[in-house]
Amino acid sequence: MVDGGQYGNWRRNSNNVDAGKMFKIGGLIALILLVLIVGSKAFYTIGEQEQAVITTFGTPSCVSEPGLHFKIPFIQKVTMVDTTIKGFTVGYDIETNVTVPDEALMITSDFNFVDVDFYVEYKVSNPIKALYASEKPVVILKNIAQSHIRSTISAYDVDSVITSGKNEIQAVIREKIVAELEERDIGLQLINITIQDAEPPTDAVLEAFKAVETAKQEKETVINNANKYRNEALPAAEADVDQIAKEADAKKQARINEAEGQVARFNAMYEEYVKNPLITKQRMFFETMEEVLPEMKVIIGGSQTDMQTVLPLDSFIKPAEGEENTTPTAPIEPKDQAADE
């Protein structure tokens, strides 16, 4: 039979042992949980399109290598920054595609109103400055873009904004935004800015501009057709000019040769005339009469009452085939020659 006092002592000792074991087990579990919590806070992962900004007692540093990294729990804090290209709209709501009048409505250099929609693409270039240089860097970028968009649009006429000047306007706005971002240094980089749409604020004006654009296209078509005709007609005209010039040169040379021949004949005739003027004059007279009056017969006499000599002109011409020269001729008397002289 067991004494009651001894049983009580044993019971108390057994309770103390169980309490000690439970305390040890609870402490071990708490330690394991603490290790797990600390372990989960000590590691972080960086993706391909991310960078991490680590602050140690308030001092930031940047880690950009992708993969698993370690940090000191409760001392170091990690902020992940997305470095992919992002964008925002100016002038319309990207979800509803509805125009935002306060952003889209602008005035041009020729005092016309126009609705212009832009899309701006950007990315984080410096994660530390993007987090700590300003409170809302994207809002700042949007304000910068709107400011330069309005100032640039106001320098162009409405026709350039709607039709032909879009590429130039985009380039000018981009240069201005890039320059101001470099000056402000807020950790963002402009990738691109494009005009999504540009149109007059009313349907009537829009139709007028469409008519203007159609007229411009027709003008370009007419100019192209005119250039085509010129390119086709000009070579033919140049060929005609060249042919006319060659023919003129040939005629000129022919006339020069003819004139030189006549001069040579005149000089030869003059030399003969100097030698014997009377015979030369008679020969020239007969040849001329032969050309002018080929069918006439010439009678040469001394006087009207006493005609002693008949000189037919056809005696100087070769008789026709089968005919005989039967016309009598008489020599010119010396006194006639003296009288002619």
Side-chain angles (χ1 to χ4, degrees):
M1 188 174 182
V2 180
D3 187 16
Q6 292 178 350
Y7 177 75
N9 290 333
W10 175 83
R11 189 177 180 84
R12 286 193 295 270
N13 291 333
S14 176
N15 291 335
N16 290 334
V17 171
D18 292 340
K21 288 183 178 179
M22 292 296 294
F23 179 78
K24 290 181 179 179
I25 292 173
L28 181 60
I29 293 173
L31 181 61
I32 293 174
L33 291 175
L34 180 62
V35 170
L36 291 175
I37 293 172
V38 171
S40 64
K41 297 291 184 179
F43 295 95
Y44 63 95
T45 303
I46 300 178
E48 291 291 338
Q49 299 293 332
E50 291 180 323
Q51 291 189 17
V53 176
I54 303 174
T55 54
T56 304
F57 298 110
T59 303
S61 60
C62 184
V63 178
S64 59
E65 292 81 5
L68 185 64
H69 298 270
F70 174 79
K71 71 179 179 68
I72 301 174
F74 309 109
I75 296 178
Q76 292 180 323
K77 180 181 178 181
V78 177
T79 303
M80 306 302 296
V81 178
D82 187 0
T83 57
T84 58
I85 297 176
K86 299 179 180 180
F88 59 83
T89 60
V90 177
Y92 70 101
D93 188 344
I94 194 172
E95 295 181 355
T96 62
N97 201 27
V98 176
T99 299
V100 180
D102 292 340
E103 296 180 357
L105 188 61
M106 304 179 194
I107 188 170
T108 60
S109 62
D110 51 355
F111 304 104
N112 285 297
F113 290 98
V114 61
D115 287 337
V116 188
D117 301 334
F118 286 85
Y119 187 77
V120 181
E121 295 177 285
Y122 70 95
K123 73 174 184 177
V124 175
S125 59
N126 189 320
I128 296 176
K129 292 182 179 179
L131 290 175
Y132 301 106
S134 59
E135 184 177 356
K136 296 179 179 180
V138 178
V139 175
I140 295 175
L141 174 58
K142 187 170 184 178
N143 291 335
I144 293 173
Q146 287 180 317
S147 174
H148 290 302
I149 285 172
R150 291 189 177 277
S151 64
T152 304
I153 293 294
S154 64
Y156 288 82
D157 57 52
V158 66
D159 187 53
S160 299
V161 175
I162 294 179
T163 57
S164 59
K166 290 183 179 180
N167 292 333
E168 181 179 349
I169 292 173
Q170 291 174 175
V172 172
I173 294 174
R174 188 179 187 281
E175 291 178 359
K176 291 181 179 180
I177 295 175
V178 169
E180 187 163 351
L181 283 178
E182 291 178 354
E183 181 181 352
R184 290 179 177 268
D185 198 16
I186 59 176
L188 297 182
Q189 176 186 355
L190 179 68
I191 302 301
N192 196 17
I193 180 169
T194 55
I195 297 178
Q196 299 296 101
D197 193 14
E199 61 183 12
T202 62
D203 294 338
V205 178
L206 178 60
E207 292 300 325
F209 275 103
K210 288 182 179 179
V212 171
E213 186 64 20
T214 302
K216 285 185 176 180
Q217 293 177 357
E218 292 177 353
K219 171 187 173 183
E220 293 296 328
T221 302
V222 172
I223 291 175
N224 292 334
N225 291 335
N227 290 333
K228 179 181 178 181
Y229 175 76
R230 181 191 65 181
N231 295 334
E232 293 175 352
L234 190 59
E238 290 176 348
D240 292 341
V241 170
D242 186 63
Q243 182 65 26
I244 292 172
K246 290 180 179 179
E247 292 178 356
D249 290 338
K251 290 181 179 180
K252 179 185 75 172
Q253 191 62 40
R255 291 187 179 183
I256 291 174
N257 295 337
E258 183 181 357
E260 289 177 349
Q262 292 178 356
V263 170
R265 287 194 299 271
F266 178 81
N267 290 334
M269 188 178 295
Y270 180 73
E271 291 178 359
E272 296 298 326
Y273 175 79
V274 171
K275 294 177 181 178
N276 196 336
L278 178 59
I279 297 176
T280 303
K281 286 191 293 182
Q282 289 178 347
R283 177 184 175 186
M284 291 176 63
F285 173 76
F286 294 149
E287 289 178 352
T288 303
M289 294 302 295
E290 179 183 1
E291 293 177 0
V292 176
L293 302 171
E295 302 296 333
M296 296 290 293
K297 293 183 178 180
V298 179
I299 299 174
I300 301 175
S303 65
Q304 293 183 354
T305 57
D306 184 16
M307 295 179 34
Q308 299 179 357
T309 305
V310 177
L311 181 63
L313 185 61
D314 54 358
S315 62
F316 295 93
I317 304 173
K318 182 179 179 181
E321 186 177 355
E323 294 183 357
E324 295 182 359
N325 187 5
T326 58
T327 305
T329 59
I332 299 174
E333 297 179 357
K335 63 177 182 179
D336 293 335
Q337 294 180 356
D340 293 337
E341 292 179 359

